[in-house]
Amino acid sequence: MLASISTRFLLIALLMLPITLVAAKDTASENEAPLRIAVASNFAPTLKQLLARYNPNQKHFLSPILIAASSGTLFLQIEHGATFDVFLSADSERPQLLSTSGLAMSGSLQTYAFGQLALWSAKGNIDSDLLVALSNNKQRLAIANPRIAPYGKAAKQVLESLQRWDDYKGRLIQGINIGQTFQQTRSQAVNLGIVSNSQLVLNNFKGVLIPSYLHQPIKQQLVILKHSKQIAQAERFVTLLMSKQAQQFITESGYASSNEINTNE
Amino acid sequence: MSNTHPDMLALITTLKMAGLTTVILMLIGTPLAWYLAKMQSRSKVFIEALVALPLVLPPTVLGFYLLLLFSPQYLPGQIWQQATGQQLAFSFSAIVIGSVLYSLPFVVQPLQKAFEQLGDDLLEAAAMLGASAFDRFFTVVMPMTKASFITAASLGFAHTVGEFGVVLMIGGNIPGETRVLSIALFDHVEAFDYAQAHLISISLVISSLVLLSLIYLLNRPAKNKRVKSKRFN
């Protein structure tokens, strides 16, 4: 009796199988699941807008799932087997490490954006001359932690280029990433911060742009991860991200243009 | 101090933070626990819930609101700045205040339980013999609840040492001031410096285990836990 019930159940289930497959085919081509994109927190808002604009109604690929965190955290998760399809880092070091260790698909390493820094105060206007604004500030300065955050490393280089590092060394508030530095500056708990220009553009705030020649380029690179089961879809996503319009959009969102960087180098 | 190893500096900062937090918590927590133990009114439940809130809230939530309150935009931050001339956010004082709130239930709850289990008869007897309220507390209540006091202080201390989220939000990672061990550990992991990360982690695991074992040892039901009655004759 029991056996016959389970057999019948199995039969029904087997008969249902084609129906579920057909139903699934309607929503996704070739049984694709949404891409899982690990993205450095600083680029996440820009990426969301970009996807809304250039992939409307899932035109090129399914709406991806974004996992936003610091590049270091995401890198660790990837090293320990997290199932992401694409990794958009805030630096070049980590994607390159993944390439050399064989966790990234060979040939997929590309620079998708150049970070741009800005000096900003949420308390009001600061002098439009970078050096004057930095010299006028007798209080603390928020920067991302130079040891762990690409934007922090660049901020340190800016202070060194302007010979302000020794002056500021003892009064730095260090955020774990540029996102925290922005939040610390925005809360007005600190007078002045070196933040990412894209954060200011996103929120319509006005800061002082920091010229790219004062620091090494913040090369934000990406890789497609080798164990991804969505390689075709991942490649379509990267193609879109590297397209002329998308690159233009990224520059308008507060990132430096590659032309500007190349003339400096 | 400047040539101290950064991680030693972080350890010293951590111990300073946890030590000061524990002292403040014992001073605030004891009367609060007593008040709650003796309280009869309906609002008791609400106050108990408030005290227990840090047990269930993510520390980052607490840290997020504290950062706002400590910034010069809001009254607490303004008052502090006027009184001390220093900014409250991203200072050692800020992480101590945050820790006091964050570890409050760990001190108040064991004390409250101990006070509730205390019978009234001894206290009444002491009162009849003319002991003042303070006298009664120090000569009758405290000796009888000594173990709970030690438990409360140790738990408050241990919990503060292990704090991360609150300090992350309101500390600002300033060496020698707000850079505590948990933050130093986070930095090492993010910077791939696993050797240092392991060193801090294993030290924290061992020291916490030792401390907690001591607390549980202390709280083992003793075989003859009767209070020695003093004879008055």
Side-chain angles (χ1 to χ4, degrees), chain A residues 154-215:
Chain A
K156 182 183 173 181
Q157 289 165 351
V158 169
L159 291 172
E160 283 170 339
S161 306
L162 297 169
Q163 284 157 11
R164 283 285 166 281
W165 176 251
D166 288 337
D167 175 20
Y168 269 113
K169 212 164 66 180
R171 45 190 177 120
L172 291 173
I173 302 293
Q174 294 181 28
I176 50 171
N177 56 38
I178 199 70
Q180 198 191 15
T181 300
F182 178 71
Q183 180 239 343
Q184 287 168 339
T185 313
R186 190 176 185 171
S187 73
Q188 298 187 17
V190 57
N191 256 357
L192 200 61
I194 296 183
V195 297
S196 144
N197 184 41
S198 62
Q199 293 164 329
L200 300 183
V201 171
L202 189 76
N203 294 285
N204 285 320
F205 293 142
K206 193 96 196 70
V208 177
L209 264 192
I210 296 178
S212 299
Y213 60 79
L214 291 172
H215 60 85

Side-chain angles (χ1 to χ4, degrees), chain A:
Chain A
M1 179 70 206
L2 207 96
S4 75
I5 287 179
S6 58
T7 328
R8 202 179 306 169
F9 187 78
L10 200 70
L11 250 170
I12 291 168
L14 277 171
L15 284 170
M16 297 270 297
L17 203 62
I19 302 169
T20 49
L21 280 179
V22 169
K25 245 192 144 51
D26 281 348
T27 51
S29 50
E30 331 136 41
N31 305 322
E32 282 176 334
L35 280 178
R36 290 165 55 82
I37 301 173
V39 54
S41 359
N42 80 78
F43 192 69
T46 307
L47 181 60
K48 271 186 200 144
Q49 291 179 337
L50 193 143
L51 288 166
R53 183 186 282 217
Y54 295 107
N55 192 36
N57 313 321
Q58 319 195 38
K59 195 169 99 186
H60 307 285
F61 42 84
L62 295 176
S63 287
I65 299 161
L66 303 188
I67 300 97
S70 82
S71 307
T73 304
L74 294 169
F75 174 83
L76 264 186
Q77 290 173 349
I78 291 165
E79 273 205 315
H80 292 100
T83 52
F84 304 134
D85 300 298
V86 186
F87 174 41
L88 272 62
S89 184
D91 66 354
S92 53
E93 184 194 356
R94 289 179 177 92
Q96 283 168 15
L97 276 171
L98 290 173
S99 291
T100 49
S101 67
L103 282 170
M105 205 177 88
S106 61
S108 68
L109 184 78
Q110 297 204 67
T111 305
Y112 66 91
F114 287 97
Q116 167 103 57
L117 294 171
L119 187 70
W120 176 58
S121 168
K123 290 185 168 175
N125 286 334
I126 49 173
D127 201 288
S128 58
D129 183 319
L130 188 64
L131 204 53
V132 174
L134 278 170
S135 306
N136 282 348
N137 177 41
K138 295 289 166 246
Q139 299 182 27
R140 287 167 162 171
L141 172 75
I143 67 169
N145 186 335
R147 200 173 145 225
I148 60 177
Y151 281 78
K153 198 168 129 189
K156 182 183 173 181
Q157 289 165 351
V158 169
L159 291 172
E160 283 170 339
S161 306
L162 297 169
Q163 284 157 11
R164 283 285 166 281
W165 176 251
D166 288 337
D167 175 20
Y168 269 113
K169 212 164 66 180
R171 45 190 177 120
L172 291 173
I173 302 293
Q174 294 181 28
I176 50 171
N177 56 38
I178 199 70
Q180 198 191 15
T181 300
F182 178 71
Q183 180 239 343
Q184 287 168 339
T185 313
R186 190 176 185 171
S187 73
Q188 298 187 17
V190 57
N191 256 357
L192 200 61
I194 296 183
V195 297
S196 144
N197 184 41
S198 62
Q199 293 164 329
L200 300 183
V201 171
L202 189 76
N203 294 285
N204 285 320
F205 293 142
K206 193 96 196 70
V208 177
L209 264 192
I210 296 178
S212 299
Y213 60 79
L214 291 172
H215 60 85
Q216 300 261 304
I218 307 170
K219 247 192 215 175
Q220 301 200 193
Q221 294 194 314
L222 67 84
V223 282
I224 295 174
L225 297 167
K226 206 175 197 160
H227 56 61
S228 166
K229 294 183 174 58
Q230 309 281 337
I231 299 276
Q233 205 183 181
E235 281 174 335
R236 286 206 297 280
F237 162 74
V238 173
T239 306
L240 172 72
L241 190 66
M242 299 308 295
S243 70
K244 215 175 157 117
Q245 311 104 302
Q247 283 294 309
Q248 177 71 28
F249 178 80
I250 291 171
T251 309
E252 282 163 12
S253 304
Y255 289 84
S257 71
S258 47
N259 307 339
E260 187 195 340
I261 301 289
N262 293 336
T263 47
N264 290 330
E265 279 188 328

Side-chain angles (χ1 to χ4, degrees), chain B residues 153-229:
Chain B
S154 324
L155 278 178
F157 185 87
H159 188 242
T160 306
V161 168
E163 189 183 329
F164 175 69
V166 178
V167 179
L168 183 76
M169 297 295 269
I170 58 176
N173 200 350
I174 304 162
E177 185 164 4
T178 60
R179 190 165 193 260
V180 294
L181 276 179
S182 58
I183 303 282
L185 170 65
F186 180 87
D187 286 355
H188 290 319
V189 173
E190 289 272 305
F192 311 135
D193 191 350
Y194 297 146
Q196 287 295 326
H198 277 303
L199 190 68
I200 294 180
S201 300
I202 199 74
S203 321
L204 279 175
V205 169
I206 292 169
S207 53
S208 306
L209 199 60
V210 169
L211 184 60
L212 288 172
S213 304
L214 285 174
I215 295 173
Y216 287 125
L217 186 71
L218 189 86
N219 279 322
R220 264 199 323 196
K223 283 200 172 69
N224 42 3
K225 225 185 174 178
R226 266 171 309 174
V227 182
K228 293 193 182 97
S229 54

